[in-house]
Amino acid sequence: MSTTKVKVAENAAKFIQQDDIHEKLHDQNLWNVRMRRDTVASAIPEWEELRTLASRIKEHTLTHLDEYVLQFADNAEKRGIKVHWASTAEDHNRIVYEILASHQVKRLVKSKSMLQEECHMAPYLEKRGITLTETDLGERIQQLSGQDPSHIVMPAIHQTKEDIAKLFAEKIGTDPNKVDANYLTEAMRNNARPKFLEAEATMTGANFAIAETGSFVVCTNEGNADLGAAIAPLHIASIGIEKMVPKVEDMGVFIRLLSRSAVGTAATQYTSHFSGPRKGTEMHIILTDHGRSHRLGLEDFWSSLKCIRCGACMNTCPVYRRSGGLSYGATYSGPIGIILDPSYDEDKYSELPFHSSLCGSCTEVCPVRIDIAEQIVKWRKVMSAKKKLPVGLRLAFGVTGTVFKYPWVFRTAEAAGKWALKFAPDALIYNKTLNAWGRQRKLPEFADQTFRDWYLKNRNKEPKA
Ligand code: SF4
């Protein structure tokens, strides 16, 4: 993995400055999803209790994860599913390739799996001669664009209809002047159908793995996972070990939360339980760790493993909505990315925790009550303690610390600042080099009198320092 530091603010600036359309549309589209989420959530009186219950089920499962993973594997094997164990991304990819090679698979269709994205599986297989087709529409758009997904639920949300019409015209021969969403979707469907029929294998991820049954659940809105699994003679599912839930009845809680939080609909169009191979076919599961055990041992960050990948925290985040997901330079972007990515590589993702307004909206919408904003602050502390802060922030925090530490310095700075803001605001506040914060902002008028001056005048005594 490359350790070149991701310059998330620089990347976001490029996204914003490319034109007048992309940022505004991205912001608006995601905000619409957030509003739909609010509408459907508020229609359920026990919504907050559901969130609490989901959080408790996940916390219970994670604190007994060894038992549940083994129970799941045992029950899956009893159903005729072949279970494999992968501790790293390399293990995962090697196992997938070995299964495919042993079945002489050359053509593979797959539905969306963030775990497979984490493992960078697609390029690994393509290098070894496997033709891989993404079947989720958004993922297919990203595959044809040569880009990673920018959102965990809507992978191509940063692209406009015009972008997609141009891409499809180049790659699958559609009319470049037709930007109608139905036309484009239909064209991709017609392009994808033969690939389902030709594929010798299919791959899925899993939204949930049920320990008591050994079955797994895949939620999609396009039915592409089901179509692949219904046709191909070989089905491989990549499952992160944190996907466990103890019982089938737990699904009643998570299914009610997932789609409402993700896209503001009551349920995904397809919620499929896979409980073993069809007659004459094979089903394999790769139970994958890839950093999850490490994260489980991090006292401040283990609860991020509760995440059910709904994307609600991204949709609501004012910084994500204006940055575009690709700016984060990681598999996971937005608030959930900020708390997951540094656990893989603290150097590479050291700027991510500072790409947040800390408004707390992410914590408010998370269906499994992950304290996302609090974890972002904790990651800032980690970066600060390990001296990984961006230079500008290190200087600013050093100066601010001194100002707040000594009352006389504070008073001097207050007087100097007031003067400077009055006579040289461009140098101090709107300086593009010194102060990134000020670039997009206008300060309100400053009051003539500070609170300290007012207090001294009206109370006629020195406040306690
Ligand atoms: S952190 Fe919460 S809101 Fe964000 S993707 Fe995960 S479950 Fe959804």
Side-chain angles (χ1 to χ4, degrees):
M1 186 186 286
S2 160
T3 51
T4 308
K5 197 186 288 281
V6 173
K7 303 275 185 192
V8 59
E10 277 180 35
N11 297 342
K14 283 183 200 148
F15 175 73
I16 292 167
Q17 287 158 11
Q18 65 184 304
D19 55 33
D20 273 346
I21 299 166
H22 283 79
E23 181 220 346
K24 284 195 181 77
L25 214 56
H26 190 257
D27 180 24
Q28 189 58 54
N29 287 341
L30 288 167
W31 186 246
N32 291 344
V33 179
R34 159 71 210 263
M35 297 305 278
R36 280 207 304 273
R37 173 255 174 221
D38 287 357
T39 305
V40 294
S42 62
I44 296 186
E46 68 276 23
W47 180 257
E48 294 305 320
E49 285 78 15
L50 272 178
R51 290 176 70 208
T52 302
L53 191 53
S55 171
R56 286 193 185 148
I57 293 169
K58 276 288 184 182
E59 284 180 5
H60 165 78
T61 316
L62 289 167
T63 50
H64 299 76
L65 194 55
D66 52 341
E67 295 164 31
Y68 285 119
V69 172
L70 289 175
Q71 189 189 357
F72 172 78
D74 199 30
N75 286 329
E77 278 173 350
K78 284 182 192 151
R79 290 175 172 278
I81 302 172
K82 298 187 181 180
V83 178
H84 308 260
W85 299 87
S87 65
T88 63
E90 292 73 27
D91 288 346
H92 171 273
N93 294 346
R94 179 182 42 75
I95 292 167
V96 172
Y97 179 66
E98 284 172 1
I99 299 169
L100 296 177
S102 69
H103 290 75
Q104 288 90 43
V105 171
K106 289 286 169 203
R107 287 163 299 190
L108 170 71
V109 288
K110 67 176 280 294
S111 61
K112 187 157 69 61
S113 157
M114 293 312 294
L115 173 57
Q116 290 160 5
E117 294 292 336
E118 275 180 40
C119 295
H120 304 288
M121 184 194 76
Y124 179 94
L125 294 181
E126 280 162 354
K127 260 190 221 150
R128 287 160 179 77
I130 309 281
T131 302
L132 180 152
T133 303
E134 297 282 357
T135 57
D136 172 274
L137 177 61
E139 284 283 348
R140 183 70 175 143
I141 292 168
Q142 289 309 95
Q143 184 184 30
L144 293 175
S145 303
Q147 294 178 336
D148 291 331
S150 75
H151 187 287
I152 58 179
V153 176
M154 297 166 276
I157 189 70
H158 63 293
Q159 303 220 43
T160 63
K161 278 190 295 182
E162 288 72 17
D163 293 337
I164 295 163
K166 188 162 170 262
L167 177 77
F168 282 10
E170 279 169 20
K171 303 286 183 179
I172 63 170
T174 52
D175 181 342
N177 300 313
K178 284 195 178 174
V179 293
D180 173 62
N182 289 333
Y183 166 75
L184 294 170
T185 308
E186 187 66 27
M188 182 45 73
R189 193 175 294 145
N190 291 335
N191 180 270
R193 281 281 152 89
K195 299 187 192 318
F196 280 106
L197 298 173
E198 290 161 4
E200 295 116 356
T202 192
M203 287 194 74
T204 65
N207 293 84
F208 304 99
I210 304 170
E212 74 169 353
T213 61
S215 55
F216 57 97
V217 180
V218 180
C219 304
T220 70
N221 279 313
E222 298 170 31
N224 53 317
D226 307 76
L227 195 55
I231 297 173
L234 172 65
H235 177 179
I236 307 171
S238 308
I239 305 180
I241 55 173
E242 87 287 11
K243 297 287 180 185
M244 297 298 136
V245 293
K247 295 173 183 297
V248 175
E249 68 185 37
D250 298 329
M251 284 296 89
V253 175
F254 290 104
I255 295 300
R256 293 183 81 193
L257 288 167
L258 179 62
S259 190
R260 286 181 170 89
S261 301
V263 288
T265 59
T268 46
Q269 299 293 320
Y270 300 86
T271 300
S272 302
H273 291 241
F274 291 96
S275 305
R278 285 177 287 117
K279 201 170 171 205
T281 69
E282 279 187 29
M283 182 179 280
H284 295 248
I285 283 173
I286 307 173
L287 285 169
T288 306
D289 188 319
H290 190 221
R292 284 149 176 82
S293 299
H294 164 70
R295 202 175 304 139
L296 195 56
L298 298 176
E299 193 182 344
D300 287 336
F301 305 113
W302 72 273
S303 68
S304 61
L305 288 164
K306 292 193 290 182
C307 177
I308 57 170
R309 308 286 192 264
C310 72
C313 56
M314 307 163 90
N315 304 341
T316 198
C317 175
V319 179
Y320 173 84
R321 282 190 275 112
R322 290 167 178 86
S323 302
L326 297 179
S327 303
Y328 294 72
T331 303
Y332 298 102
S333 51
I336 181 60
I338 293 175
I339 62 174
L340 290 184
D341 298 323
S343 74
Y344 288 112
D345 191 329
E346 286 182 8
D347 280 324
K348 184 172 181 180
Y349 302 117
S350 61
E351 286 194 7
L352 263 57
F354 301 93
H355 203 62
S356 166
S357 65
L358 293 182
C359 64
S361 185
C362 46
T363 305
E364 291 301 313
V365 298
C366 178
V368 285
R369 293 199 187 280
I370 299 172
D371 54 345
I372 307 169
E374 289 78 356
Q375 290 190 34
I376 293 174
V377 174
K378 286 173 184 167
W379 271 117
R380 288 187 180 186
K381 286 185 182 164
V382 170
M383 298 309 171
S384 174
K386 295 190 176 176
K387 307 214 178 313
K388 294 179 194 291
L389 286 183
V391 181
L393 280 180
R394 216 181 308 154
L395 284 172
F397 287 151
V399 170
T400 309
T402 306
V403 168
F404 283 114
K405 194 170 174 187
Y406 302 104
W408 70 269
V409 179
F410 180 85
R411 282 196 286 275
T412 309
E414 189 180 55
K418 199 172 152 190
W419 182 89
L421 287 171
K422 191 166 179 185
F423 297 106
D426 288 349
L428 205 63
I429 295 296
Y430 305 121
N431 185 295
K432 289 193 184 345
T433 309
L434 291 177
N435 185 10
W437 185 89
R439 280 175 218 167
Q440 312 287 341
R441 292 171 170 85
K442 275 268 170 231
L443 284 185
E445 286 288 307
F446 272 76
D448 289 337
Q449 190 180 39
T450 65
F451 173 71
R452 172 177 293 275
D453 293 337
W454 176 89
Y455 193 92
L456 289 173
K457 187 174 169 201
N458 290 284
R459 295 291 184 273
N460 198 25
K461 61 180 179 181
E462 181 76 12
K464 283 180 188 159

